[in-house]
């Protein structure tokens, strides 16, 4: 009788005791935490926001992570929520186009444009979710693996700049010789017989910047990287799963002991504060930027589809077309909520899907508990200020691992692609990666092209996506192979 009663509740719908639920939920949060806070740090600094505003982005991100996770795992109405053990977080796929947008339009105006494009992409994603759930045939593993590999390669630039110093601003490789600027100011001082300096005249930086690639910073980044590798090698289970987070903690402790990391901002931050919508003012909507973010969302939703199918197989629940549409709509809804609350596009985190396989705990209420913990963290500004206070060199050591693992995920997916009997697949990967490298290697390639398409073509990820889909259609046609997509998703989730 008891076995019949217990078997009537699917493992996904099991409600565990509160203590166990909280511990397992916290485990999910710790596994995703480093990845979740990396994106607001990258984009906030690209927008040249103040430290307080970057800390606010981190709080908003954690808060919206929690909201999106609750909707996805609990379900909301008949339209939203796949009702699987899924944790939602900001997708790294959106970082490159967002940074390009931020570099072109910094400060508040750039933030309004950025969040307007995210809101627009979120609305479109909700509307096209059922269509995307039928588009799997255009995104076989040879396409998704290539795209994810290029996402990782593109992001590596961010991690490397964190270690050595950003290529623009105070840590640029060269600075202007102070003697030149003094001479220029002397000869153009009031009363000088010489004409005024022509508008736009600039002195070329020729002196190496002593702050660039400072060995102290490089040493801290190396310590973080070595710590992560040692934890992965010698720790087991949960501790190994949070190796990146532990590496960042070790780097933060050493930085504090050396006087590089200070806590003034943490002391000034409030204990509790609410996340408010439209912090930077009303969003600005630009059709091309919205299209760019929508293309990113389509790639993200295809990746989510593979994860949902793999999770369904892992947990023993058949995933229908309607389930897929509900899950993908929630990606769009999370992105819409993100744009309203000053944060970014959302998707299901593959690390956490992998954790379901590692722990064997299939209950979606574990992720519900994780969502509640994330909301609480989002309401604690001191926590966000602490993350914002981390020196970039600490994040750089961890960034090599985080972003490199994204590239490795793409390579793992490609490992299952048939290159022996299908000679076209190698061509698809080769040309698509080549297109993806263009903006990285030659960022000014677009200078003679219409300005209106610049934001569309300055992202290597989008160039790769368009190229891979088009070449796959041309060379392979549009075959539907659900088994291959599930196998690829499982490869992506492997640890």
């Amino acid at each position: 009788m008891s076995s019949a009663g217990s078997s009537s509740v699917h493992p996904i719908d099991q409600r565990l005791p509160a203590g166990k639920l909280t511990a397992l939920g916290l485990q999910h949060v710790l596994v995703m935490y480093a990845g979740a806070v990396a994106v607001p740090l990258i984009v906030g600094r690209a927008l040249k926001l103040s430290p307080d505003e970057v800390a606010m982005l981190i709080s908003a991100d954690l808060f919206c992570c929690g909201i999106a996770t609750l909707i996805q795992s609990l379900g909301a109405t008949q339209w939203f929520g796949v009702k699987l053990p899924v944790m939602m977080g900001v997708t790294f796929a959106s970082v490159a186009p967002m940074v390009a947008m931020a570099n072109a339009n910094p400060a508040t105006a750039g933030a309004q444009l950025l969040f307007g494009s995210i809101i627009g992409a979120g609305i479109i994603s909700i509307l096209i979710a059922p269509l995307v759930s039928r588009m799997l045939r255009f995104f076989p593993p040879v396409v998704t693996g290539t795209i994810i590999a290029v996402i990782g390669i593109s992001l590596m630039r961010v991690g490397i700049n964190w270690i050595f110093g950003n290529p623009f601003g105070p840590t640029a490789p060269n600075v202007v010789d102070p003697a030149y600027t003094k001479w220029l100011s002397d000869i153009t001082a009031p009363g000088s017989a010489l004409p005024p300096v022509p508008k736009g005249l600039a002195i070329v930086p020729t002196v190496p910047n002593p702050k660039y690639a400072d060995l102290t910073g490089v040493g801290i980044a190396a310590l973080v990287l070595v710590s992560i590798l040692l934890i992965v090698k010698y720790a087991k289970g949960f501790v190994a799963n949070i190796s990146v987070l532990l590496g960042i903690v070790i780097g933060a402790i050493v930085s504090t002991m050396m006087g590089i990391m200070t806590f003034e901002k943490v002391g000034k931050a409030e204990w509790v504060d609410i996340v408010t919508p439209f912090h930077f003012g009303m969003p600005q909507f630009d059709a091309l930027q919205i299209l760019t973010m929508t293309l990113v969302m389509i790639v993200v939703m295809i990746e989510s589809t593979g994860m949902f199918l793999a999770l369904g197989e892992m947990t023993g629940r058949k995933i229908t077309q309607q389930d897929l549409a509900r899950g993908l709509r929630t990606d769009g809804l999370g992105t819409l909520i993100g744009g309203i609350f000053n944060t970014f596009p959302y998707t299901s985190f593959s690390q956490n899907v992998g954790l379901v396989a590692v722990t064997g705990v299939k209950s979606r209420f574990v992720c519900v508990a994780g969502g509640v913990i994330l909301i609480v963290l989002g309401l604690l500004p001191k926590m966000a200020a602490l993350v914002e206070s981390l020196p970039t060199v600490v994040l750089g050591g961890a960034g090599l691992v985080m972003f490199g693992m994204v590239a490795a995920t793409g390579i793992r997916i490609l490992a299952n692609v048939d290159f022996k009997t299908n000679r076209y697949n190698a061509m698809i990967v080769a040309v698509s990666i080549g297109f993806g490298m263009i903006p990285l290697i030659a960022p000014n390639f677009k200078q003679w092209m219409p300005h209106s398409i610049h934001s569309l073509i300055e992202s290597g990820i989008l160039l790769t996506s368009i190229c891979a889909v088009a070449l796959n259609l041309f060379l392979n046609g549009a075959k539907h192979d659900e088994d291959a997509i599930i196998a690829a998703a499982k490869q992506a989730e492997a640890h």
Side-chain angles (χ1 to χ4, degrees), residues 6 14 133 218:
S6 61
Q14 276 184 345
S133 68
V218 173

Side-chain angles (χ1 to χ4, degrees), residues 200-406:
L201 177 77
I203 303 175
V204 176
T206 56
V207 179
N209 189 333
K211 290 184 180 178
Y212 187 78
D214 172 56
L215 288 181
T216 304
V218 173
I220 292 171
L223 172 70
V224 173
L225 178 58
V226 170
S227 300
I228 293 169
L229 294 174
L230 288 173
I231 293 166
V232 167
K233 168 79 173 167
Y234 295 109
K236 299 284 182 243
F238 172 58
V239 174
N241 280 335
I242 60 165
S243 57
V244 172
L245 185 64
L246 293 176
I248 291 173
V249 170
I250 291 167
I253 292 168
V254 172
S255 299
T256 304
M257 290 165 63
M258 295 175 72
I260 297 169
M261 181 174 176
T262 56
F263 299 94
E264 292 91 353
K265 297 173 209 165
V266 182
K268 290 176 186 173
E270 298 290 329
W271 280 102
V272 178
D273 198 7
I274 56 169
V275 178
T276 53
F278 305 122
H279 174 84
F280 296 95
M282 290 308 292
Q284 303 296 315
F285 298 98
D286 178 276
L288 202 65
Q289 305 286 17
I290 290 171
L291 174 62
T292 303
M293 293 308 297
T294 302
L295 286 172
V296 170
M297 283 305 297
I298 290 172
V299 174
V300 164
M301 289 157 85
I302 294 294
E303 193 184 341
S304 291
T305 300
M307 284 183 208
F308 295 150
L309 291 170
L311 254 180
E313 201 175 77
M314 266 183 225
T315 55
R317 171 163 282 178
K318 174 72 176 167
I319 304 300
T320 65
Q321 193 83 38
Q322 288 75 23
D323 293 328
L324 283 180
R326 280 200 305 271
L328 297 181
R329 268 196 212 98
T330 309
D331 278 8
L333 180 62
T335 300
L336 171 59
I337 293 169
I340 292 170
F341 283 95
N342 327 293
T343 179
F344 312 107
Y346 286 90
T347 184
S348 30
F349 255 34
S350 62
Q351 301 100 301
N352 296 89
V353 177
L355 193 58
V356 172
V358 170
T359 62
V361 178
K362 300 173 183 176
S363 171
R364 60 193 171 101
F365 292 101
V366 169
C367 292
V368 171
V372 173
I373 292 168
L374 284 167
I375 291 172
V376 172
L377 289 174
L379 299 175
L380 303 176
K382 278 193 186 297
M383 182 67 73
L386 180 64
V387 173
E388 198 284 326
S389 299
L390 284 168
T392 53
V393 287
V394 172
L395 295 168
L400 283 186
V401 178
M402 281 192 293
F403 307 145
M405 286 302 289
V406 176

Side-chain angles (χ1 to χ4, degrees), residues 211 412 491:
K211 290 184 180 178
R412 278 205 299 257
Q491 282 294 101

